[in-house]
Amino acid sequence: MDFKSLFRKFSFVAFLLFYTSSLFAQATRVTGVVTDGGTKNNEPMPFVSIGVAGSHVGGRTDNEGRYSIVSDKPISQLKASFIGYKDVYINIVAGKAQVINVKMMPLQQELTEVEVKAGKKPRYRNKGNPAVELIRQVIAHRDKNRPESYNYVEYKEYDKMQFSIANLSTKIAEKKFFRKYKFVLDNRDTTTVPGKNLLPVFLDEKISQYYYRKNPEKERTVILGQRNVDFGGSIDNEGVGQFFKYMYGKVDIYDNSINLITNNFLSPIANGAPTFYKYFITDTVVTEDNKKLVELSFTPRNTQDMLFEGKIYITLDSNYAVQKANLGINKNINLNFVKSMTVNLDFEQNPDGRYHLSKSNTLADFGVGKKNAGGFFGIRTLTYKSYAVNKQRPDTAYITGAEDIAVSDEVSHRSEQFWTQNRLDTLTTAESKVYKNIDSLSHMKSFQRTLDIATLLLAGYKSFNTFEIGPSNAFYSFNPIEGLKLRFGGRTTPELSKRYYFETYAAYGFKDQKWKGFLSATYSINDKSIYKFPQNYIRASFQRDTKIPGAALQFVQQDNFLLSFKRGVNDKYLYNDFYKFDYVHEFESHFSYTVTLKKWTQSPAGSLYFINNTGNINDLTTSEASLNLRYAPNEKFYQGKIYRVPIPSKYPILSFDYTKGFKGAFGAAYNYQSLHARVDRRTYLSQFGYFDAFVEGGKVIGQVPYPLLTIFRANQTYAYDLYSYNLMNFLEFVSDRYVAVNIDQHFMGFFFNKIPLFQKLKLREVASFKAIYGKLSDENNPALHPSLYQFPVTSTGQPITYSLGDTPYIEGSVGVENIFKFIRVDMVKRFNYLDHPNVSPLGVRVRLKFDF
């Protein structure tokens, strides 16, 4: 469990959530339900525009036709309007809380045929359904209506992301403790979302120019201006922005799946959509420019599935294009912390008669409970202008350069005049003040102290501007060799220098009475932070510490307190001395290489020993040079000041490693070579969730003792490890050639959603499969070559280290995740090699995973 990376991504959201949860109060409001008076049962109407007549205060009804209007000013009349229906005006009493239900009557509709049937409601079928026939036409014309169907496309894009505290009591600013923050707390927006009193706390804006060429296919995005709020050093503003944009992905209705709130939703016009959606023709509409549209309503066949509901408007011409879309989610959907979400898409017509997206607006209401009025509200608005098709540019216009990857100081510090002239949308009054307010807030010492405490608790580091101490979860640990182990360390930040970085820790074991430590110095060649893409740096480091053979723990986090608890026999350790030199170079294409020079000395500790036909051996020294090649197309990161975490995507990641050992160099004892290759990929399966998988293989060339062979990644902790074998013992299997496969399937509640109790608890199914097939050549078999180190045995002479035979090692698991929103529990089964000592055929493992 990597708690540092787990909590860092969510520290900002979690801090605001729990810090303000007790401050919300129900606002005075006008509420009600809008129904369709043209239907027999007065069905609720979603997406109806309703607001204060003669003003901009208002919004749309939700998926169940409900609305809520909040205003500090006197209200005398509401207006409800919807395409194809008569406008409704309702008088209200100013200054009072009231419930007003609205019934809307349709205008005379243009229908080619009306069929009236009495009796039992007919069963919904795809066959012979004109709505399904229409959606099949939309699907058939989908590729034609995508921008990529043109030879050349270009447009300007304005991207605005806003995050607000919702329905925070207006009286909170009068409390003594919060008076100093009154200038922030009074900056409210009551007009953007009906029923929501929004206090903006985060704003990110970006203006960019996009170019696309079909043949050969190239695309380029040139960032013209970008800025966001600055909370100071305690909160990574850029990382927060990256995380929010990952949650609010760009919505392309022409994609088969749409990624929102870290989940994949099936598009209502996806290839297989008629299998999962029901469609109904609910209206025909004539636009102001005399274009005829069909209003097509859709709803999930199973309301618990990860699907949308809402309406799309289809052009009745040869294009069958989407001209407008209103997407929402059902209240029963298996999402964490999301009370509601809507996506509104508007399209404009090109001169050739086809349509392009002109505006996308995604709104999500977050909270601990569905009925809690308070919480957080996120809005991402994308506006597109200056759209041009089949306008050829010089080749250089389509080639991404270094200036497009990293935002320059000039681009990130544009003047107010630039934003006024180039912003393709407007800021609300509250949004226009948020930059200045948060800047003032970040300079207040009381606010800085609060953030420091939150950062220490959630991320594990205490910042002192140019240097930070941590991680706190490694300050204390224990094991059978060192006993109680205390560790203290830290690292420099970009505030000290963007070129020079230092990291260190010191540790002491009270049982073995030995000091350990780590020290590294890094120099950035491209004068950019080493945590920013693309990296280009050199690093020299030294580490002296303990390690368990075959344990794939984090390099400088292996002392995590929670990993101190282990099952079975755990007394075979190594003392390691590493002297390393690394050169890392990433390219804009997302290809990278790393060159490493390493001197490594291993000394056995505990009950581990090195022995051959000459007797006991005190240590093993090797000197290596290695080359790592990696290609991760379209890879993106949660990229902050002092960390970066890859964002999962559908694109494969390929890596290859070559290592050469040099006998005689710096006391090295062996010549050898090793090869390793691996392919990782996440595959989305629409309604069946997704799976993460990797395939890897390796080979060691040369005669070497077992510490230099492949010691398979074992796990004797009680935490479920995604990349290790959770019922394999440390040092149990070695090999000099192998292939392995690992699959981790997340069903995202596809089956549990059909079971009422599981659906209510929002539990999700998970399963995994892991297998290794490997061999040990005669050349590296110590039973045939006594000069090699003998495999370790127990005190009674029973072997504990083996080579894989003709049968691969296999384990699998089934489990439940999303317990209390962040706990995963797996029942793990080991299928073979059960006659080995201290082997458990079954085990329960736990993993923390915070997700939406």
Side-chain angles (χ1 to χ4, degrees):
M1 292 178 291
D2 188 351
F3 293 95
K4 175 183 169 185
S5 61
L6 174 70
F7 286 116
R8 178 184 286 126
K9 293 186 289 184
F10 302 96
S11 60
F12 177 71
V13 177
F15 167 68
L16 289 176
L17 180 64
F18 294 108
Y19 185 66
T20 61
S21 60
S22 64
L23 305 179
F24 298 111
Q26 184 72 24
T28 302
R29 63 182 65 184
V30 181
T31 59
V33 177
V34 178
T35 57
D36 188 347
T39 61
K40 181 178 179 180
N41 299 320
N42 291 323
E43 295 177 355
M45 293 182 62
F47 311 115
V48 174
S49 297
I50 187 165
V52 180
S55 78
H56 297 291
V57 177
R60 289 186 174 95
T61 58
D62 65 13
N63 299 328
E64 297 178 351
R66 295 174 300 192
Y67 75 92
S68 181
I69 303 294
V70 177
S71 178
D72 296 332
K73 299 178 180 180
I75 301 175
S76 61
Q77 193 177 58
L78 294 181
K79 177 185 176 182
S81 60
F82 194 74
I83 296 175
Y85 287 77
K86 298 178 181 178
D87 291 345
V88 178
Y89 293 87
I90 309 100
N91 295 325
I92 63 176
V93 180
K96 291 185 178 181
Q98 55 213 280
V99 176
I100 299 179
N101 296 323
V102 181
K103 182 183 292 187
M104 302 196 70
M105 301 303 296
L107 295 168
Q108 183 177 0
Q109 297 184 4
E110 181 181 343
L111 298 175
T112 58
E113 181 180 355
V114 177
E115 183 178 1
V116 179
K117 291 185 178 181
K120 185 177 179 181
K121 183 179 179 180
R123 180 183 176 186
Y124 179 87
R125 295 179 182 275
N126 280 352
K127 186 176 181 180
N129 187 337
V132 176
E133 294 302 319
L134 177 60
I135 205 67
R136 293 195 191 282
Q137 288 287 353
V138 176
I139 294 171
H141 289 78
R142 194 175 61 183
D143 290 342
K144 170 186 174 182
N145 288 308
R146 304 193 70 165
E148 292 81 6
S149 65
Y150 291 105
N151 291 324
Y152 302 93
V153 174
E154 62 183 70
Y155 54 78
K156 185 175 286 187
E157 176 190 272
Y158 170 64
D159 187 351
K160 180 178 72 173
M161 166 66 72
Q162 185 233 89
F163 206 68
S164 301
I165 301 174
N167 293 339
L168 187 66
S169 171
T170 55
K171 298 179 181 179
I172 195 67
E174 305 304 324
K175 296 183 180 294
K176 182 177 180 180
F177 179 80
F178 293 100
R179 287 175 187 168
K180 65 183 77 173
Y181 306 125
K182 184 176 175 60
F183 67 99
V184 174
L185 298 173
D186 285 344
N187 185 38
R188 307 300 182 96
D189 177 2
T190 60
T191 63
T192 300
V193 181
K196 294 294 179 183
N197 185 321
L198 302 181
L199 173 63
V201 294
F202 179 83
L203 184 65
D204 181 282
E205 296 180 276
K206 182 171 71 174
I207 298 174
S208 54
Q209 179 69 39
Y210 175 81
Y211 299 96
Y212 171 81
R213 182 183 67 191
K214 188 174 184 178
N215 189 22
E217 191 170 39
K218 287 285 185 181
E219 62 178 351
R220 180 189 181 195
T221 300
V222 181
I223 300 175
L224 306 176
Q226 183 171 4
R227 67 173 180 173
N228 55 31
V229 299
D230 187 358
F231 286 92
S234 296
I235 288 183
D236 174 25
N237 311 293
E238 185 177 352
V240 170
Q242 291 287 352
F243 172 64
F244 285 162
K245 288 182 179 179
Y246 174 52
M247 289 199 302
Y248 291 80
K250 294 183 179 180
V251 176
D252 184 354
I253 198 169
Y254 289 104
D255 274 342
N256 273 321
S257 59
I258 298 169
N259 194 286
L260 284 171
I261 319 296
T262 73
N263 288 274
N264 259 31
F265 292 80
L266 186 72
S267 169
I269 61 172
N271 289 333
T275 304
F276 297 96
Y277 285 103
K278 294 180 180 180
Y279 299 92
F280 307 90
I281 295 177
T282 50
D283 200 359
T284 56
V285 178
V286 178
T287 64
E288 294 179 356
D289 54 353
N290 206 34
K291 295 289 192 305
K292 184 179 289 187
L293 307 174
V294 173
E295 178 187 271
L296 194 66
S297 298
F298 57 91
T299 184
R301 292 175 181 263
N302 186 317
T303 57
Q304 286 83 31
D305 286 346
M306 205 68 70
L307 299 167
F308 293 109
E309 61 183 16
K311 298 181 179 182
I312 53 177
Y313 296 83
I314 309 301
T315 62
L316 284 182
D317 56 16
S318 60
N319 293 313
Y320 291 98
V322 178
Q323 197 266 349
K324 183 182 179 66
N326 303 121
L327 314 177
I329 60 172
N330 191 276
K331 64 180 180 180
N332 298 318
I333 206 166
N334 193 338
L335 277 178
N336 295 332
F337 312 112
V338 181
K339 294 190 286 187
S340 67
M341 180 175 66
T342 58
V343 180
N344 302 309
L345 305 175
D346 293 295
F347 294 79
E348 291 181 352
Q349 196 169 29
N350 294 332
D352 63 356
R354 287 152 65 181
Y355 288 80
H356 69 267
L357 183 65
S358 61
K359 193 166 188 175
S360 170
N361 198 28
T362 304
L363 304 92
D365 191 0
F366 299 91
V368 177
K370 294 283 185 182
K371 297 181 180 180
N372 187 357
F376 299 95
F377 205 93
I379 305 173
R380 186 179 188 184
T381 303
L382 294 120
T383 307
Y384 302 91
K385 296 290 185 183
S386 304
Y387 203 93
V389 298
N390 292 333
K391 182 179 180 180
Q392 186 174 359
R393 299 281 186 180
D395 289 347
T396 53
Y398 307 100
I399 300 174
T400 300
E403 68 276 7
D404 303 323
I405 302 298
V407 179
S408 66
D409 287 340
E410 179 184 3
V411 169
S412 59
H413 292 87
R414 295 293 192 185
S415 66
E416 284 295 334
Q417 182 181 5
F418 168 86
W419 288 100
T420 301
Q421 293 175 347
N422 291 276
R423 189 183 282 121
L424 304 182
D425 201 350
T426 58
L427 297 181
T428 65
T429 302
E431 288 174 340
S432 64
K433 297 178 181 179
V434 71
Y435 289 114
K436 182 179 179 181
N437 285 351
I438 298 301
D439 181 68
S440 299
L441 184 67
S442 66
H443 288 87
M444 297 177 66
K445 291 185 178 180
S446 59
F447 182 74
Q448 291 175 351
R449 286 193 298 267
T450 302
L451 289 184
D452 281 347
I453 294 172
T455 303
L456 179 63
L457 293 176
L458 297 173
Y461 281 88
K462 173 66 175 74
S463 176
F464 296 92
N465 191 30
T466 59
F467 187 82
E468 60 179 24
I469 295 173
S472 57
N473 59 13
F475 287 165
Y476 165 74
S477 62
F478 57 88
N479 62 67
I481 307 305
E482 299 170 282
L484 168 64
K485 183 176 183 179
L486 300 181
R487 187 178 118 169
F488 188 77
R491 60 189 177 185
T492 63
T493 71
E495 273 71 21
L496 177 66
S497 171
K498 286 188 177 181
R499 279 203 178 251
Y500 299 94
Y501 297 84
F502 301 93
E503 186 170 359
T504 187
Y505 73 79
Y508 184 76
F510 284 82
K511 183 175 180 180
D512 65 356
Q513 299 183 342
K514 292 181 180 290
W515 282 97
K516 294 88 180 176
F518 171 79
L519 177 65
S520 72
T522 306
Y523 176 74
S524 175
I525 296 175
N526 59 4
D527 196 25
K528 297 177 181 177
S529 169
I530 60 172
Y531 303 101
K532 301 291 184 181
F533 177 84
Q535 295 177 333
N536 188 6
Y537 66 81
I538 56 175
R539 170 178 290 162
S541 64
F542 168 75
Q543 184 183 34
R544 173 171 294 165
D545 214 331
T546 56
K547 186 180 184 298
I548 303 172
L553 302 178
Q554 293 292 323
F555 185 60
V556 293
Q557 292 188 26
Q558 54 191 311
D559 298 323
N560 190 311
F561 168 72
L562 293 177
L563 297 181
S564 299
F565 300 92
K566 296 181 176 67
R567 62 175 176 84
V569 179
N570 175 40
D571 61 355
K572 291 176 173 56
Y573 278 68
L574 291 169
Y575 288 115
N576 288 290
D577 280 6
F578 289 100
Y579 295 87
K580 290 182 65 178
F581 176 86
D582 299 284
Y583 173 56
V584 178
H585 192 174
E586 292 179 334
F587 296 89
E588 289 79 8
S589 62
H590 293 276
F591 170 78
S592 66
Y593 67 87
T594 302
V595 177
T596 301
L597 304 177
K598 179 174 70 174
K599 179 188 176 184
W600 180 18
T601 300
Q602 308 177 61
S603 302
S607 65
L608 187 64
Y609 53 85
F610 294 163
I611 188 171
N612 64 6
N613 57 356
T614 64
N616 285 314
I617 299 170
N618 293 327
D619 55 53
L620 169 63
T621 298
T622 55
S623 296
E624 299 176 346
S626 62
L627 173 67
N628 166 262
L629 306 177
R630 185 176 184 271
Y631 180 52
N634 299 291
E635 186 174 41
K636 293 180 173 58
F637 302 92
Y638 302 115
Q639 189 163 289
K641 290 183 179 179
I642 49 176
Y643 72 93
R644 71 175 195 177
V645 180
I647 296 174
S649 74
K650 63 181 179 180
Y651 299 100
I653 299 174
L654 296 84
S655 61
F656 173 79
D657 300 275
Y658 172 76
T659 300
K660 168 67 176 174
F662 298 92
K663 183 177 180 179
F666 303 101
Y670 292 93
N671 274 319
Y672 57 90
Q673 300 175 75
S674 69
L675 304 171
H676 174 261
R678 174 166 162 165
V679 179
D680 291 73
R681 180 167 182 176
R682 168 168 290 188
T683 301
Y684 292 99
L685 302 174
S686 187
Q687 298 310 294
F688 292 95
Y690 67 90
F691 68 84
D692 292 318
F694 69 80
V695 178
E696 64 176 338
K699 181 177 177 63
V700 177
I701 304 171
Q703 189 177 63
V704 293
Y706 74 82
L708 300 181
L709 299 175
T710 299
I711 303 175
F712 294 118
R713 298 181 297 269
N715 177 27
Q716 287 185 219
T717 73
Y718 295 98
Y720 184 84
D721 192 301
L722 296 174
Y723 304 111
S724 299
Y725 302 93
N726 291 287
L727 290 180
M728 183 186 291
N729 292 332
F730 294 133
L731 205 55
E732 185 176 357
F733 290 104
V734 299
S735 175
D736 58 12
R737 59 190 188 275
Y738 76 97
V739 292
V741 61
N742 187 325
I743 301 173
D744 195 48
Q745 169 70 47
H746 301 259
F747 291 100
M748 302 303 293
F750 181 81
F751 300 105
F752 283 176
N753 286 341
K754 281 73 172 176
I755 304 172
L757 177 60
F758 288 0
Q759 191 276 329
K760 185 176 182 180
L761 296 174
K762 296 193 179 300
L763 301 180
R764 301 169 183 171
E765 326 83 342
V766 65
S768 72
F769 173 81
K770 301 177 182 181
I772 322 167
Y773 179 76
K775 287 287 187 178
L776 183 67
S777 64
D778 290 344
E779 182 183 21
N780 287 311
N781 189 340
L784 302 177
H785 297 277
S787 61
L788 295 172
Y789 297 0
Q790 299 303 299
F791 287 161
V793 298
T794 65
S795 58
T796 60
Q798 187 178 12
I800 64 168
T801 300
Y802 306 84
S803 61
L804 284 167
D806 294 331
T807 303
Y809 173 89
I810 299 174
E811 71 175 42
S813 73
V814 292
V816 179
E817 61 182 348
N818 208 42
I819 302 171
F820 303 118
K821 312 297 186 188
F822 67 95
I823 298 175
R824 168 179 171 172
V825 178
D826 283 74
M827 174 64 74
V828 187
K829 167 69 175 175
R830 173 170 169 161
F831 291 96
N832 46 19
Y833 296 101
L834 302 178
D835 56 339
H836 291 183
N838 300 310
V839 162
S840 300
L842 286 172
V844 177
R845 300 293 178 265
V846 180
R847 179 178 176 83
L848 298 188
K849 182 193 176 190
F850 189 102
D851 208 347
F852 285 91

